[in-house]
Amino acid sequence: MAEALWKMNLYSCMLILYVLVVRRVIRKYSKLFSYSLWVLVAARLWVPVFLNGPFSIRPILLAGFTGNILPADVTAVLKVLYFLGVFAVAGMFMSQYWKTRSQVRLAVRETKNIWRCEGSSSAFVMGLIHPRIYIPYGLEGTKQWYVVQHEKMHIRHGDPWISAAAMVTLCLHWWNPLVWYSACRMWEDMEMYCDEAVLEECAGQEKKIYSEILLELSASQSGFPALCFGKSHTERRIRNLLQGCRKEHLWFRFLYMFAINLSVWLLF
């Protein structure tokens, strides 16, 4: 187990750096493409299967590695420290979750799965099987419509499940700073993709209105990041909305698929 975990983290570090480079290159296109790239990282962090392709760089990365080279007592201590870290990170997430649960305990149902929550300054989604949208008191009219549409997009895209999986991944790979950084970038792409999806159903003039709403609600954030969604990365989200997305031509889709296949050949 320890060897497989070490290998998965080693390959995932290379893959994360690769995805960050590709993400930078395609930053002016729809965030759907950037968001989808993180599936590769998740697969590498979750699946302890290693392919022996002709183009794989595994032999280079593992040059000189012959298995467990640490003394047994050191290995035992490291295992204890690892599981202590897993439980500590899991406890941190669970404490945030129960804190949010206590905040929504007295929420009032407005319609269907939309609830009014006191003590919250921003809207968020909470739950997996039956996700609920919680909105603060005072959010009315046009602002409420845009915010609710954004949260509905999270549910439609399956983001509660994706973020729950990301939370578990952070617990298992808590000691790898690149995994934490990639999770932040993944959540950023998730939010931007939802912004784009909402505006696809709106007229072009409404970009400014939506951006103003984001800015107004950016003072604070409520909710548990893995199972709840509110505003985040506000400055970059507004810039992404105002700049718009380039049209994806056939050559771009071809190069995008090539980049994905290249990562599989080299790092899986």
Side-chain angles (χ1 to χ4, degrees):
M1 174 184 173
E3 181 179 342
L5 188 65
W6 183 87
K7 288 181 179 179
M8 285 191 293
N9 270 270
L10 176 62
Y11 302 151
S12 68
C13 286
M14 302 297 295
L15 185 57
I16 289 169
L17 294 175
Y18 177 83
V19 167
L20 290 173
V21 172
V22 176
R23 181 178 177 268
R24 177 69 178 175
V25 173
I26 64 174
R27 65 188 182 279
K28 294 185 179 180
Y29 293 90
S30 172
K31 293 305 175 183
L32 169 63
F33 297 101
S34 299
Y35 189 27
S36 301
L37 288 173
W38 298 113
V39 175
L40 298 171
V41 177
R44 183 66 286 166
L45 288 169
W46 275 88
V47 182
V49 176
F50 308 98
L51 306 178
N52 291 316
F55 303 102
S56 176
I57 63 173
R58 285 181 56 210
I60 300 175
L61 295 177
L62 294 179
F65 179 76
T66 58
N68 188 7
I69 59 177
L70 296 175
D73 55 345
V74 175
T75 302
V77 171
L78 290 177
K79 286 183 178 179
V80 172
L81 291 176
Y82 169 75
F83 284 107
L84 286 176
V86 170
F87 291 126
V89 175
M92 178 188 68
F93 282 133
M94 289 306 299
S95 65
Q96 293 177 358
Y97 173 75
W98 287 112
K99 180 180 179 180
T100 304
R101 287 275 296 182
S102 65
Q103 290 179 349
V104 303
R105 185 173 51 189
L106 300 178
V108 178
R109 187 174 187 175
E110 185 169 284
T111 175
K112 294 184 179 180
N113 67 330
I114 301 176
W115 296 65
R116 289 282 182 178
C117 178
E118 192 173 3
S120 172
S121 59
S122 61
F124 58 93
V125 173
M126 186 173 184
L128 295 175
I129 306 298
H130 301 291
R132 294 179 177 181
I133 298 174
Y134 293 94
I135 58 177
Y137 286 99
L139 190 65
E140 305 288 348
T142 303
K143 294 181 182 178
Q144 177 180 334
W145 186 87
Y146 279 110
V147 170
V148 169
Q149 290 304 309
H150 178 92
E151 306 307 328
K152 285 182 177 179
M153 284 298 174
H154 278 304
I155 298 175
R156 186 184 303 178
H157 296 164
D159 290 340
W161 289 97
I162 293 172
S163 285
M167 179 189 68
V168 176
T169 303
L170 289 173
C171 292
L172 295 176
H173 302 276
W174 59 268
W175 52 275
N176 190 334
L178 272 178
V179 175
W180 286 89
Y181 182 77
S182 65
C184 292
R185 300 285 74 80
M186 184 273 292
W187 274 313
E188 179 180 280
D189 291 337
M190 175 191 294
E191 292 293 337
M192 291 184 181
Y193 177 44
C194 281
D195 292 335
E196 293 172 359
V198 170
L199 290 183
E200 282 182 1
E201 302 180 359
C202 305
Q205 296 286 341
E206 296 176 307
K207 284 186 179 181
K208 184 178 179 181
I209 300 175
Y210 190 81
S211 300
E212 290 175 351
I213 294 173
L214 281 180
L215 191 61
E216 185 175 337
L217 297 177
S218 65
S220 61
Q221 180 176 0
S222 301
F224 180 50
L227 302 178
C228 309
F229 302 92
K231 60 93 198 114
S232 62
H233 315 289
T234 306
E235 182 180 348
R236 284 188 287 270
R237 288 173 64 187
I238 292 176
R239 189 187 307 122
N240 182 65
L241 288 174
L242 297 179
Q243 289 177 348
C245 303
R246 288 183 179 178
K247 184 178 180 181
E248 303 92 26
H249 297 284
L250 182 61
W251 63 266
F252 170 79
R253 294 179 180 272
F254 173 80
L255 292 177
Y256 180 78
M257 293 306 300
F258 176 78
I260 291 177
N261 282 286
L262 182 62
S263 68
V264 174
W265 292 338
L266 295 177
L267 297 166
F268 279 80

